[in-house]
Each structure stands twice: as C-alpha cells, then as structure tokens.
Amino acid sequence: MSQTSSKADMQELSKLQRQIVRQIARHVRDNNLPPGTQLTEIGLAELFGVSRSPVRAALDFLALNGAMDSAARRGFTISNHPEAFDAFDVDEESEVDTLYLRIASDFMSDRLGDHFSEADLMRRYHVSRSFLLRVLQRMARDFVIERSQGHGWRFAQLVKSAEAHDASYRFRMLVEPAAILEPGYELDRRWAERSRAAHEAILNMDPSKISPIRFFEMNSDFHELIAAGSHNSFFLQAVQQQNRLRRFIDYDWGYGAERMRQNCQEHLEMLAALEKRDLEWASMLMRRHLDLAAQTKLVLSSEPE
C-alpha cells in the first residue's frame, strides 16, 4: 500500500496505537532488522511499556499495509526492508499537514464543493472526527473556511483563476518593494536572525524531507518580517491578508527543491542588503523576487496534470 494511504488509514487507530506503530517502525529501522525477523506482542509491550492490546492493533495495521506477515501461533514477522518502515514513522503534525494539502488540492481542482459537512470529509478521507477537527480548526484560523449557517462548513470566497493569481502578484509587486522604502524603515534584528537561521536550515536539509507547508510558513513569515520593518500598519496588514489567501491556494507550493533553494537564497540576499541599509537595492531585489515567483507559479499552474 502507498505511503499516502498508510497515513490516512492510521487515523482510524487510536492515538496510542498510532504512537506504537511509529515506535515499531523506528525499532525495526534503528536496529536494521531484516525481513523474516519475528516480533512478538509481549516482547514489544515490554519494550514500550504498554499493554499487549494496542501492540496487537499496531501489528495488525502494519500487516494490513504489507510491512509484516502474520500467521497463527507464529506471531508476526517483518516482510519489508528496514527503510520501508519510514512510511509509518510520521509525526502527528505532519499528518495534519498532509490532510490539509489533500483538502486544498481537491478544492482547488474542483473535486470538492464549496459546502461540506464533517461526515462528508470523514468518509472521503477515512479519518476520525477528532483528527479532522484539528485540520478544520487550522483552516478556520487561516480564514479559508467558516461555519455555515445551520450546518456544516463552507470555503471562503477564494478565487482560483489565473487572472486572480496575476492580480495578486501585481498587487504584491506594488506594495512589498514600497514598504522597504518607507521613511524610518528599520529591520527587526532578532526576527531577522531567526528568519536567517530558518532559511539556512532549509538549505542544509535533504530536499525530500522539506514539508511544503513548513516551507510556506517560513516564506510567509519572511515577507511579514520585511513589511513590519516599514512600521506602517497598512503595509503589514496588506501582506498578512495576501499571506492568508496564499496560505490555502499555494499550500501545494509545487516549486520543487531547486526553486525552494533559489527562493531561500533570494531571501538571504535581501536580508543582507537590508542589514547594510541598502534599501534601494533591497527594494529592487524584492520586486525581482516577486516577479520571478509569479512567473514560476504561472508556468507550473499551466502544466498539464
């Protein structure tokens, strides 16, 4: 079974059972246990300090997903190589990110309507209500969904067209470079240091391990940092409003590792210019950065699926 479906199916387990699935995956991987190795309920229960019942549920789950073999009286044996267990060692926050991405993709691709109920999404994505509510609460905080009058949820009035995409970037190319040229512009040094460290961490990370949502959050935080330096609340509010819109529409990000690295390098170049008080150059870099981002996103959105 694919990694995606494994993550979705895990939400049918209890929180403790999901935790034990992850612990078994780490145990197999960290000890490089080969296919054919036998694992027992009682042995794992003692290792993890839990009862046998949740261990049995976790082993059954792994067997259903092809990672373990089970046979009467012989218990469970490993059927996959250790590295294959990485698919089951996924933290709770990453699972929230994954479902957020799926909902965003389905809505933006017109596979999900404007109005929906929690029961609709539970059936569609095979998740528990408690887990789904965590995702919906984050989406509500991002202002992309809201409670319907009477029943269910509805998406906010988001625009999906290429024209809206162009209009958003043209607006940003007017606003964000201008914020840097505001009288009395002053960068928040501590915020800038945190942002630099986050960018450098991305540059040093294995591209396959970069969460699109985590990358987006770092990116939007950077643009709010730059706008905040203007000490003009209208600039900051405009950037925050655009970030709320993009937080949903662009959660797929879709740039790939090369563009992510280039994005980080462009941001760091802007930080360097701002720290040197070369505001004209930093403003020009911001406009160029947004222009390139707009062109990249437009090309990606026009590619056939």
Side-chain angles (χ1 to χ4, degrees):
M1 187 174 290
S2 69
Q3 183 175 342
T4 299
S5 56
S6 296
K7 291 179 185 176
D9 290 344
M10 280 185 73
Q11 297 313 317
E12 299 175 5
L13 303 176
S14 71
K15 184 175 182 179
L16 176 59
Q17 291 165 354
R18 293 197 301 271
Q19 177 183 327
I20 294 172
V21 168
R22 290 191 288 270
Q23 288 177 314
I24 293 172
R26 292 170 196 165
H27 175 64
V28 172
R29 186 191 58 214
D30 295 348
N31 292 283
N32 199 31
L33 300 180
T37 302
Q38 187 174 17
L39 298 178
T40 65
E41 292 176 31
I42 190 168
L44 292 173
E46 291 176 356
L47 178 65
F48 303 140
V50 296
S51 68
R52 293 172 61 178
S53 178
V55 172
R56 157 65 73 168
L59 288 169
D60 283 339
F61 169 81
L62 290 167
L64 285 171
N65 282 277
M68 307 285 294
D69 286 327
S70 62
R73 291 192 297 270
R74 290 197 300 112
F76 292 83
T77 57
I78 297 170
S79 59
N80 273 342
H81 291 284
E83 58 271 16
F85 281 80
D86 285 345
F88 304 102
D89 186 13
V90 181
D91 62 46
E92 292 283 320
E93 199 59 30
S94 293
E95 292 172 359
V96 171
D97 290 352
T98 297
L99 183 55
Y100 196 122
L101 280 169
R102 291 181 66 190
I103 294 173
S105 175
D106 286 347
F107 176 67
M108 297 305 295
S109 303
D110 295 321
R111 295 189 294 267
L112 191 61
D114 292 342
H115 293 77
F116 60 89
S117 69
E118 291 165 16
D120 292 336
L121 297 194
M122 288 166 62
R123 287 191 297 269
R124 182 184 185 93
Y125 300 112
H126 307 289
V127 295
S128 68
R129 185 173 184 273
S130 61
F131 177 74
L132 176 64
L133 284 175
R134 288 183 59 193
V135 179
L136 296 181
Q137 287 163 3
R138 177 188 286 186
M139 295 172 71
R141 289 196 302 270
D142 290 345
F143 302 101
V144 296
I145 64 170
E146 57 192 10
R147 288 280 187 182
S148 294
Q149 290 185 354
H151 178 68
W153 297 80
R154 65 181 180 185
F155 287 98
Q157 294 298 311
L158 298 174
V159 286
K160 306 178 184 179
S161 67
E163 291 80 6
H165 165 278
D166 287 348
S168 173
Y169 271 98
R170 286 198 304 272
F171 176 74
R172 293 181 65 201
M173 281 189 277
L174 287 172
V175 170
E176 296 190 47
I180 296 172
L181 300 178
E182 274 290 277
Y185 186 93
E186 188 66 41
L187 191 67
D188 184 322
R189 297 289 175 156
R190 290 186 179 179
W191 190 352
E193 288 172 7
R194 292 195 301 270
S195 183
R196 181 187 299 280
H199 282 73
E200 290 173 346
I202 290 287
L203 289 172
N204 293 323
M205 190 179 297
D206 179 348
S208 66
K209 303 295 185 183
I210 301 173
S211 160
I213 293 183
R214 294 289 170 265
F215 181 79
F216 179 88
E217 297 293 355
M218 180 201 71
N219 180 81
S220 60
D221 179 77
F222 172 83
H223 284 274
E224 290 186 18
L225 159 68
I226 302 304
S230 69
H231 300 287
N232 183 324
S233 62
F234 292 101
F235 280 112
L236 179 58
Q237 289 168 12
V239 171
Q240 290 172 332
Q241 190 276 334
Q242 287 295 304
N243 278 341
R244 284 195 293 269
L245 181 65
R246 294 189 309 118
R247 187 167 280 122
F248 184 78
I249 295 176
D250 284 349
Y251 250 144
D252 65 335
W253 205 248
Y255 278 170
E258 183 177 351
R259 178 55 192 153
M260 284 184 183
R261 292 182 64 82
Q262 185 178 350
N263 182 284
C264 286
Q265 289 162 351
E266 290 169 6
H267 283 185
L268 291 174
E269 188 178 4
M270 273 183 268
L271 278 181
L274 289 167
E275 288 166 347
K276 294 177 182 177
R277 300 291 302 166
D278 192 345
L279 302 185
E280 290 283 350
W281 178 238
S283 177
M284 192 281 291
L285 289 175
M286 175 63 82
R287 181 176 178 82
R288 187 178 68 181
H289 168 70
L290 292 171
D291 187 37
L292 180 57
Q295 293 177 44
T296 305
K297 289 297 292 183
L298 187 58
V299 168
L300 287 169
S301 64
S302 64
E303 289 178 353
E305 294 185 354

